[in-house]
Each structure stands twice: as structure tokens, then as C-alpha cells.
Amino acid sequence: MNESGLAQQLLNLIGGKQNINQVWHCATRLRFTLKDRAKVPKDKIEALDGVITVVEASGQFQVVIGNNVGDVYHEVVKLKPSLSEGETSGETAVQGKMTFKSAFNSLLTFISGVFTPFLGAMAGAGILKGLLSLAVVMGWLTAKSGAYQIWWAAADGIFYFLPIALAFTAAKQLKVNQFVSMAIAAAMVSPGIVALGAKATTIDFFGIPVVPANYTATVLPILLVVVVQKFLEPVFNKLWHESVRNIMAPLCLLVVIVPLTLIVVGPISATVSSWLATAIVSLNKSVPILAGLVLGGFWQVIVIFGVHWALVPVMMNNIAQNGTDLMMPILLPAVLSQAGAALAVFLRTRDAKMKSLAGSSTITALFGITEPTIYGITLKLKKPFYLACVAGAVGGMIVAISGAGANAAALASVLSLPTFIGKGFGLSVVGDVVAFALGTVLTYFFGGINAGAKTKTAPSANSELGEALAAPVKGVLVPLTGLADEVFASETMGKGVAIVPENGMVKAPVAGVIRLLYPTGHAIGIQSDKGSEILIHIGIDTVNLKGKHFQPLVAQGQHVEIGTPLVQFDHEAIEKEGYESTVMMIVTNSDQYQIATLGQGATDDRPVMTLA
């Protein structure tokens, strides 16, 4: 059963949102506080495909899902959005120490999350754009034919009016008035403003000169606008009495934010775009190989922030003045590297939904439309996006060395290759192939694609040699079966050991990659280099502490060696709060191994389990 189906059945059996006071999730469980427990058939929930077991403890109805619990939780919230209002996941509610990396990852997560609701429409429109370009190249249609114009409107509409769609989804995430956000976005792409932007016509707003910019198909401006709305909307809501608030607050927001957008955001966007265009053109003339690295490596980053349109007229002017443009061929590796990364996700992912989206996004990217690929696949998974940028930089440098140029303006895609025929064409094709292949290979092996995936992986070939697991913490071994937690005691999650800690430092029991790490710090998942999947859970029901007394020391996706410090915790403070501080180490794919436990005495970093 998929996550959506499981979420629907869970809600039905629990009695709908009207029987739920609160819902959140920890490392493996959906945790409910219910209004009437008697209405809920525990046995039927346990029988659901995808549910491991059900536990009732601490006044909570806990549905054990496993590593896929986060996906199921989000599906529950999708079905009943009101459950998420003030009912944040126990894992994500806690804010850890803010770092540049965490802030940047949060920004990328927000941007990619904004695109998720309409990725299917974008993917379909992107494929249609590619097919229309192919039809023109092959002579099946002309750009002036009625069929082409109608289908082009169908393909281009979602991209042209992208700010309106983004306004709706961003406003939903930031919990502001979605329709006011859409009204602001509609003003930004209204015909009059677009026309003024195209002509660079300066208009006057009470003595303030305004130079409208072209906001069609942009991303960053509307996201910044919705953030501004997030701060101003509560102010105007408090200003007006509830009898007129629903009218006057939106009126004030439109009166203030639309001029503010055109006066501030427009000029900033135009200035950044102008600087970017000038810098890249100068770089391309003076140091081609560096231009190849920058354009090939960072073009998709430029696309994300919506300032790539500044280079379009530059490229067209190059063709008009010189007959060729050297930038367009360099952009193709950036596009193809994203297609390669999407292909790697398609080949490796065990998630059926992600596989389907990755397959269509690969085709879309080959045709030059990378937005569905970026926002739905590579940026969402983070590592594939970074690796694709590396591949694009390598391919871009090769193309730059070739000196190939485009003799006609076209979308950077496999269909634009005929426009590059001439000087350096052969080497430029080599650069394109390298970018695509390198994007595929890097992402396939190093993209962390199945981090936290539900489907179990078979042990690697190296697992035949056996694997020893060190104690994650110094202390005394105790049997899992004696624990007060039914899930761990029954070995439902897998076989393992429990350790009563003598200190507060959890270390890596094996060399591997951190696949699951919750901000609360009480649970961490590792996939070893030899294929075992290990869950370390500190304490029983310690998710209720919401990160108090825990300090994660590593990042998700990080490779660690045996003995690497993972989490520091205060076991004495945890016990004073009324919780057990016993540390559990569970091999969640233990059904693939023969497991032996070594000794029952005090442990340090010596082996306590062997897998064969």
C-alpha cells in the first residue's frame, strides 16, 4: 500500500480528524492523542499493510510505521490540512543550532516544497514544449500554424504565469492569505506591467521613478513578496476590526505590497541581472574555460533565482551582431547534467512515486525544461543537484574549449544541437555527453537516493565477509526483551541490543552514511558500507523531550567511521525528567543476516554484535 492509501485508511479507522487532538511523528511512529480511544479498532489498524504494530503508552496511540513514517505523516496532513495547524511533527518542531548549512538546506527545502503541488503539470507542459520544438525542427509544424500556437499556449502557460502558482503554494506554506498572494502575483505579470518591462519604460509613483521588470516565469521575486506579506499581514489584521477585516486587510496589502514590489524588487532584480549578464559576457571573452565552469556549473542556480532571463537578450544580440553566440552551447551541459541526475534517480530509487516523476523529468530535461527536474527531483534530494552542477561544470569547460557557437536562438536542449554545427561542434558534443554521463554516474553512486527509503536493501557483496557492530555507547548490555517499550522488546523493528549508558556520548558502531537524523537528536539511522541498516534510539519515549538534553554532532548524508561521535546527551538529566535513558541499537534489516550478540558485561567501543 502506498503512503497516501495508508494515511487514508488510518484516518478512517481512527475516526477522522474529529477524533484526533494531536498528531506528530518520531523516528518510527505516528503518535496520536485521541478524544475517544474506544472508537479505534486497534486490531484492524495493526492489520493494515504498512503498519508494523500499534503501541499504547504515555497516553498516546502509537502506530509504528518504520523509516517511512515521515512520508505517511505528510500524507495524513495533506488529507486533513487542519491537523498541521499548530500540530507540528515532534521531530521537526525543535529548532537546532542555526548554521549556514542548515539555513541553506532549509531554503532549498522551502523552494522545492513550493513547487511540489504542480510538478505534474510542469512536467507535462515541459514535454509538450520539447515535442513542439522537435515538430518545428523536423518541419512537421511551423511556428505560425494554428495548431502550434494553441499547443504552445498549453505548454507555455504554466511557465509564463509561474509567479501566480508559486504565490498560492508559498502562501500556503507560510500560512498567509493565498488569494491575496495570487492577486499580487497577477499584478506582477499583468499585460500592462509586462509591456512596460519589455520597453524598459519608466513610470512615476507619486514622484518615485519606477522601472517595471519582467516577472513572467521568475521564482525569487514572488517568494520574497510572500515573505514580506508574512510580516505585514498580521499588522493589517490587527489594525482593522473583524467586521471589515476580510476586506480592508487585503486592500491594504495590495496598496502597499504591489508598489513596494515594483519599486524595490524590480530594480534589485534588474540590477542583479545586469551585473550577472555583464560579468558572464566579460568572462566568456577573456577566460573561456572559466566561463564554461561558471555557466555549466551554476546555470541551474541562476535559473532558480529567476535572473537567467537577463542573458537571453544578450545571447540573441550576439547572434544578430556576430552570427553566433558562444554562451548557448555552454548551457547545454548544465541542462543535460540535470537530466543525467534524474535518470540516476529513476534507475536507483525504490520509491514508486519518485521513480515515475524521475522518468518523466529526465525526458523533460533532455528537451530543455529543467524546472520539474530541479524542483521535483534533484533540488528536493539536494545531493543530486550539487552533483549535477559538478557534472555541468566539467562538461561546460569542454564545450568552452571547443569554441562552438549557436547560429540561431533556441532552447538549450538536445534539439538545439543542429544550431551548433560549425567550428568545434564535435568537441562540444563530447562535452555534452560527458555532462550527461557524469551527472548520471555521480548521482547513482553518491546521490544518497534511497536515504530513509521504505524498501529494504539487500546486503552488499561485502556483507558475505561478515560485519561487526561496536557498542554505540559505553555501558551495560541488557536484552531487548526486558525493555518497557513493546516495539523494541518484541523485536518488531529488528534484532539488536540495549545498553544502559554510563556516559552521554553515542558513537558510530560501523563505518557508513547517516541516513536518518532528527533535530531532536534522540534517534539516528546509519547505513553501513557493507549494507546493514542500523537504528540507534536513545531512551524510551524521549521524543517527548523535544530535543532537550540532546545535541546532534553530525549531519544527515555525512559519512562516518567507527567511533565517530554522533550525539551527545545528558543521561542523568533525561532520567530526572522521568524517562529511561537506555540506548537501543537495532538492525532494521536483520532478516537478511544471522546475528550473534557478544557478552553481557560492560562495553566500550568493542564489538557487541556480529552480522553474517
Side-chain angles (χ1 to χ4, degrees):
M1 183 185 302
N2 60 30
E3 291 86 353
S4 178
L6 178 56
Q8 183 65 69
Q9 292 205 32
L10 276 174
L11 280 175
N12 291 340
L13 291 173
I14 282 175
K17 70 174 183 179
Q18 59 270 22
N19 195 36
I20 300 173
N21 284 323
Q22 192 175 24
V23 58
W24 68 103
H25 73 87
C26 61
T28 58
R29 319 174 194 192
L30 278 176
R31 294 171 177 257
F32 295 90
T33 56
L34 304 173
K35 295 178 181 178
D36 188 353
R37 164 62 184 87
K39 293 181 178 180
V40 182
K42 178 180 177 181
D43 55 339
K44 292 184 179 180
I45 292 179
E46 285 183 320
L48 291 176
D49 180 21
V51 172
I52 297 173
T53 189
V54 173
V55 177
E56 294 183 77
S58 305
Q60 301 167 7
F61 190 82
Q62 303 173 11
V63 182
V64 183
I65 305 294
N67 291 341
N68 212 36
V69 65
D71 294 333
V72 177
Y73 169 78
H74 289 303
E75 290 297 329
V76 169
V77 172
K78 281 183 184 179
L79 292 168
K80 301 292 181 183
S82 60
L83 291 175
S84 66
E85 296 175 4
E87 312 293 341
T88 311
S89 160
E91 305 296 347
T92 58
V94 179
Q95 297 296 323
K97 183 180 179 180
M98 179 63 69
T99 64
F100 174 80
K101 181 177 180 180
S102 64
F104 185 66
N105 283 340
S106 296
L107 174 63
L108 294 186
T109 300
F110 169 71
I111 292 175
S112 60
V114 165
F115 280 81
T116 300
F118 53 90
L119 281 174
M122 287 182 66
I127 292 175
L128 181 55
K129 268 194 172 185
L131 292 174
L132 287 173
S133 298
L134 176 62
V136 171
V137 171
M138 298 300 293
W140 301 332
L141 290 174
T142 66
K144 295 182 179 180
S145 67
Y148 177 90
Q149 293 180 56
I150 291 172
W151 278 331
W152 183 258
D156 191 52
I158 186 66
F159 297 102
Y160 186 92
F161 294 106
L162 186 59
I164 298 178
L166 290 172
F168 185 84
T169 53
K172 184 176 182 180
Q173 285 206 16
L174 296 181
K175 293 183 172 60
V176 295
N177 190 313
Q178 292 166 273
F179 296 100
V180 170
S181 301
M182 292 175 66
I184 296 169
M188 293 166 62
V189 296
S190 64
I193 295 298
V194 170
L196 291 172
K199 298 176 182 178
T201 302
T202 301
I203 57 177
D204 178 270
F205 183 78
F206 295 108
I208 302 174
V210 181
V211 182
N214 186 359
Y215 296 102
T216 60
T218 59
V219 173
L220 184 60
I222 187 58
L223 296 183
L224 293 176
V225 167
V226 176
V227 171
V228 172
Q229 182 185 347
K230 174 71 173 179
F231 289 98
L232 291 182
E233 189 170 291
V235 175
F236 291 126
N237 282 338
K238 290 180 181 178
L239 181 64
W240 296 100
H241 187 269
E242 62 182 12
S243 61
V244 294
R245 182 181 300 148
N246 290 341
I247 298 174
M248 298 307 296
L251 171 62
C252 291
L253 288 169
L254 291 171
V255 167
V256 171
I257 294 180
V258 172
L260 185 65
T261 299
L262 299 181
I263 293 170
V264 178
V265 176
I268 291 176
S269 177
T271 300
V272 171
S273 299
S274 176
W275 287 349
L276 182 65
T278 301
I280 290 178
V281 170
S282 300
L283 189 63
N284 195 38
K285 289 181 178 179
S286 56
V287 191
I289 191 170
L290 185 57
L293 186 150
V294 172
L295 281 175
F298 295 97
W299 178 250
Q300 298 303 335
V301 178
I302 295 171
V303 169
I304 288 174
F305 290 101
V307 294
H308 59 298
W309 297 107
L311 296 177
V312 173
V314 174
M315 290 184 282
M316 294 181 69
N317 183 68
N318 287 341
I319 294 172
Q321 297 296 321
N322 307 317
T324 59
D325 171 66
L326 299 178
M327 285 192 289
M328 180 64 73
I330 299 175
L331 302 183
L332 185 53
V335 171
L336 295 180
S337 64
Q338 294 291 330
L343 177 61
V345 174
F346 171 77
L347 293 174
R348 185 150 191 180
T349 185
R350 299 191 296 265
D351 183 273
K353 187 184 297 183
M354 179 63 75
K355 184 178 286 290
S356 175
L357 184 57
S360 63
S361 295
T362 301
I363 298 172
T364 300
L366 288 172
F367 283 143
I369 307 299
T370 55
E371 284 89 343
T373 304
I374 293 172
Y375 299 114
I377 306 294
T378 60
L379 191 61
K380 183 176 183 179
L381 298 176
K382 296 184 178 66
K383 277 190 176 181
F385 181 79
Y386 304 143
L387 294 172
C389 288
V390 171
V394 174
M397 287 190 289
I398 295 173
V399 172
I401 293 172
S402 76
N407 54 36
L411 190 67
S413 71
V414 293
L415 302 177
S416 64
L417 281 171
T419 69
F420 305 159
I421 294 175
K423 175 187 174 183
F425 176 70
L427 186 56
S428 73
V429 172
V430 171
D432 297 333
V433 172
V434 167
F436 180 80
L438 193 58
T440 303
V441 172
L442 288 177
T443 303
Y444 187 88
F445 289 104
F446 306 108
I449 295 168
N450 288 313
K454 179 179 179 181
T455 305
K456 296 177 180 177
T457 56
S460 67
N462 290 335
S463 66
E464 296 175 1
L465 303 176
E467 183 166 20
L469 274 59
V473 67
K474 184 177 181 180
V476 179
L477 281 173
V478 296
L480 282 179
T481 53
L483 296 179
D485 189 293
E486 179 183 334
V487 174
F488 293 114
S490 65
E491 298 186 336
T492 302
M493 292 295 301
K495 297 183 181 298
V497 296
I499 301 173
V500 178
E502 294 179 0
N503 61 32
M505 181 62 71
V506 172
K507 298 180 179 180
V510 291
V513 177
I514 305 299
R515 294 304 191 194
L516 294 171
L517 177 63
Y518 293 94
T520 49
H522 79 285
I524 188 167
I526 306 174
Q527 183 174 34
S528 80
D529 292 341
K530 293 187 176 182
S532 60
E533 297 174 358
I534 300 159
L535 172 68
I536 300 173
H537 198 286
I538 305 170
I540 296 176
D541 287 329
T542 46
V543 63
N544 297 327
L545 293 174
K546 298 182 178 180
K548 188 178 180 182
H549 310 310
F550 294 90
Q551 179 60 53
L553 304 176
V554 291
Q556 186 163 315
Q558 178 178 334
H559 188 276
V560 297
E561 301 297 333
I562 295 177
T564 299
L566 303 178
V567 179
Q568 188 171 5
F569 68 103
D570 190 334
H571 65 100
E572 293 179 350
I574 290 171
E575 290 169 359
K576 287 180 181 179
E577 297 267 7
Y579 297 92
E580 288 191 36
S581 62
T582 304
V583 177
M584 285 75 74
M585 179 170 67
I586 310 298
V587 181
T588 56
N589 61 342
S590 57
D591 58 339
Q592 300 172 4
Y593 299 93
Q594 291 182 345
I595 297 180
T597 303
L598 308 177
Q600 293 290 330
T603 67
D604 45 30
D605 57 354
R606 294 192 300 264
V608 292
M609 294 176 65
T610 59
L611 312 179

